[in-house]
Amino acid sequence: AQSVTQPDIHITVSEGASLELRCNYSYGATPYLFWYVQSPGQGLQLLLKYFSGDTLVQGIKGFEAEFKRSQSSFNLRKPSVHWSDAAEYFCAVVSGYSTLTFGKGTMLLVSP
Amino acid sequence: EAGVAQSPRYKIIEKRQSVAFWCNPISGHATLYWYQQILGQGPKLLIQFQNNGVVDDSQLPKDRFSAERLKGVDSTLKIQPAKLEDSAVYLCASSPEVPSEQYFGPGTRLTVT
C-alpha cells in the first residue's frame, strides 16, 4: 500500500535562512506527488506538484521540490524563509484512481 | 473563480447526536472528496465521488457516516450518531479531472463532547 513519511514533526528556521522539508513515499508505480500548506484554521493550499518531466519543480511563494526516484523522495525547499511561511506542510502521493495519501505533516516555525 | 465552499465552519455537539456538513465544489469539477483530519495528522480520505457516483468509500465508517452528492454538484456528509473520536476537521475538496490537483475548502471543525 502507498504511504508517505515526513520524518520531521517540527522544524524551526530563522527568518532569511534556507529550508528543506523531507518527504519519502512508498508507491510501486510512477507517483504523482504534491506539497500542500495549511495555515491555522485554513484548508490546504497547493504549493506544487510533480506528474512527470523535469524532476525539479517550481511552485508558488518561492518554493521548489525535487523528485528523486532512486531515493523515493520529494523534498521541499526554499532559499530564504519569511515569517509568513510559518504553517504546516503536507506531502501527498496520488495512487489508484486519484486517492491522495498524505503524510502526517511538518510544522514549520520561523524565528526572528 | 470561487473556491470550494463549506458550512458550517464550526460545530459542537454531544456524543450520540447527529450532524451534517455541506460542501459546494468549484463549478465544473466532476470529482468531489471528503477528508477527515484529526489533530496532528494528515487528512484521510473518507469518500470520493465522480459526478453522482461513489468511486471510493473504503475508509468511510458506514455504520455511522453517510454522504451523498445530489445532481453531481453539492454534497453533504452526515454523522449519526457521533462519537468522541469523530472530533476532527472535515475537509471537502474537488478536482476537475483525475489525476489532478485537488482544491480544498476551509473545512468544518467538529467537536464532540
Side-chain angles (χ1 to χ4, degrees):
Chain A
Q2 63 282 353
S3 66
V4 176
T5 301
Q6 294 180 247
D8 303 306
I9 298 174
H10 297 97
I11 281 186
T12 300
V13 175
S14 299
E15 190 168 16
S18 63
L19 169 71
E20 182 169 29
L21 301 182
R22 296 182 290 167
C23 171
N24 292 97
Y25 66 90
S26 172
Y27 184 58
T30 300
Y32 297 135
L33 295 159
F34 302 82
W35 275 99
Y36 282 86
V37 61
Q38 186 176 35
S39 297
Q42 302 297 314
L44 283 79
Q45 181 184 22
L46 179 69
L47 286 176
L48 46 79
K49 63 184 179 184
Y50 171 78
F51 280 11
S52 64
D54 193 347
T55 56
L56 184 64
V57 294
Q58 303 297 320
I60 63 171
K61 304 184 180 184
F63 286 92
E64 66 178 25
E66 186 171 12
F67 170 59
K68 293 186 178 180
R69 183 186 301 276
S70 61
Q71 298 177 20
S72 298
S73 68
F74 189 55
N75 294 349
L76 182 71
R77 301 194 294 249
K78 186 171 185 178
S80 178
V81 169
H82 188 262
W83 63 266
S84 60
D85 293 324
E88 191 156 23
Y89 292 79
F90 292 93
C91 181
V93 62
V94 167
S95 60
Y97 187 60
S98 66
T99 302
L100 264 181
T101 299
F102 285 88
K104 292 188 175 182
T106 297
M107 182 66 72
L108 173 64
L109 305 174
V110 180
S111 62
Chain B
E1 173 180 81
V4 176
Q6 289 187 249
S7 67
R9 291 295 310 276
Y10 305 92
K11 190 74 176 179
I12 301 174
I13 61 172
E14 296 182 350
K15 60 184 178 184
R16 293 187 290 273
Q17 287 186 326
S18 62
V19 64
F21 312 128
W22 173 82
C23 173
N24 180 240
I26 293 173
S27 177
H29 283 194
T31 309
L32 185 147
Y33 313 78
W34 283 102
Y35 289 87
Q36 180 192 57
Q37 185 177 19
I38 293 173
L39 186 64
Q41 298 182 21
K44 181 187 80 171
L45 179 71
L46 291 175
I47 189 167
Q48 177 183 342
F49 292 94
Q50 180 75 17
N51 296 310
N52 287 344
V54 176
V55 173
D56 184 353
D57 64 355
S58 58
Q59 299 189 85
L60 186 74
K62 299 180 183 65
D63 58 333
R64 297 185 300 106
F65 286 65
S66 64
E68 61 181 3
R69 188 178 186 194
L70 300 175
K71 300 180 181 179
V73 182
D74 293 5
S75 177
T76 56
L77 176 70
K78 297 179 181 178
I79 307 175
Q80 182 178 11
K83 293 185 176 181
L84 296 177
E85 57 261 36
D86 298 332
S87 294
V89 175
Y90 291 85
L91 295 163
C92 179
S94 68
S95 63
E97 57 192 9
V98 290
S100 173
E101 62 264 36
Q102 297 177 21
Y103 297 82
F104 285 80
T108 297
R109 182 175 297 275
L110 173 67
T111 302
V112 182
T113 63

